[in-house]
Amino acid sequence: MGKIAILAEKPSQARAYADAFKIKKKEKTFIELEPCSTFPNGAVITWAVGHLVELKEPKEYQKEWEKWSLGSLPIIPQKFEDKVVSKMYTQFHAVKKIFNDPQVTMIYNGCDSEREGSNIFYSLLKMTKVNKPVKRLWINSLEVEEIRKGFNHMQSNERDLLMYQEAKTRQISDWLVGMNCSRLYTLLLQKKGFRGSISIGRVQSPTVYLIYKRQQEIEHFKPEKFYEIEGVFKAQNGIYKGKANLKTKERAEAVQLLQQHGIEPLDTGLITSITNKKKRIAPPKLHALSTLQAAANKRWKYSPSHVLKLTQSLYEKKLVSYPRTLSIK
């Protein structure tokens, strides 16, 4: 085996990988590692900066698609094509050069262990037009021992290719909905006097509609009476209130429950026996990103995007595990 080329998803991830081994050389676009038991002929780590590659715009397929018109819809390319993000040419060419290096005989996908990481890697790999064997690094922590363990137990890319196809399908569906529906609704509304443009998205539009429906429910809410049974209890440590397990719109139902047990207003009761039982309560589950976002919003009013940004920062500092998994440690 020759030298290994490793693609990380971002520079901070690449630095974390490099810190787990002995560094030979650091450059602006890559880090070279000394030969070791994991990489007998050495390795070079380079990185994407998120998405170096994206789907082409409509006008890049057909010139007539540049102008927004109802007659040009629907916009459906015969074959979807990627392009390098305009501001990322320097890093893309650095990655391409490393992948094409004759000394490099194997490429490791070290992007985040999820669908979008797979999409970033394979979209970029296809743009370089390099055909070399690929293996997948699958870890959810940037601790040194986890990194070393991961590189010593590299996985095949069979599952990764399926995840790439899934992510690419989602990306194309987003493109189709966004490019076509944004133009369609904007042009139809402009015929009715609307000025400006609107953005329609596969995810954002249903989400906005859910918010709209909830707002409508709030605005048209009509308060209704309901009945509960509340008792005042005197204990050794003070007085406290308790509620019966009842909440009803019918007053008669609450009255019937009181009568069933022979309870009158201002009645007094006496505790005649107490039963103590030992119970085991499992600790709460570790947070997933969604539950962490909900908890942070409730406690500190943080937005989901802010929580993701903070968690990603903690992950890159090796303080938590990878945020986009079922649990965050």
Side-chain angles (χ1 to χ4, degrees), residues 75-77 80 171-182:
I75 297 172
I76 305 177
F80 285 89
Q171 186 182 18
I172 290 171
S173 68
D174 285 347
W175 191 98
L176 285 170
V177 172
M179 295 299 178
N180 285 282
C181 293
S182 295

Side-chain angles (χ1 to χ4, degrees), residues 199-234:
S199 174
I200 301 292
R202 180 184 63 88
V203 176
Q204 71 179 28
S205 297
T207 303
V208 170
Y209 180 65
L210 289 173
I211 296 170
Y212 164 76
K213 281 190 67 177
R214 182 58 178 160
Q215 185 61 34
Q216 290 293 100
E217 291 172 0
I218 293 170
E219 290 178 359
H220 296 95
F221 174 74
K222 294 180 180 179
E224 296 179 341
K225 287 184 178 180
F226 64 90
Y227 298 90
E228 294 179 314
I229 298 174
E230 185 178 88
V232 178
F233 300 87
K234 185 177 181 181

Side-chain angles (χ1 to χ4, degrees), residues 6-67:
I6 303 165
L7 182 75
E9 190 163 318
K10 53 189 76 69
S12 59
Q13 191 178 51
R15 289 193 294 270
Y17 292 164
D19 289 342
F21 303 97
K22 190 173 181 180
I23 297 172
K24 180 178 180 180
K25 180 170 62 176
K26 281 187 178 182
E27 296 291 344
K28 188 176 180 180
T29 56
F30 69 90
I31 303 172
E32 189 172 355
L33 304 180
E34 292 278 7
C36 61
S37 58
T38 305
F39 307 113
N41 294 299
V44 57
I45 306 172
T46 187
W47 49 85
V49 188
H51 286 270
L52 287 183
V53 172
E54 63 185 4
L55 289 172
K56 287 183 177 180
E57 296 288 321
K59 63 183 179 181
E60 294 173 283
Y61 293 101
Q62 295 184 27
K63 186 173 178 59
E64 55 267 31
W65 285 348
E66 182 173 4
K67 183 180 179 181

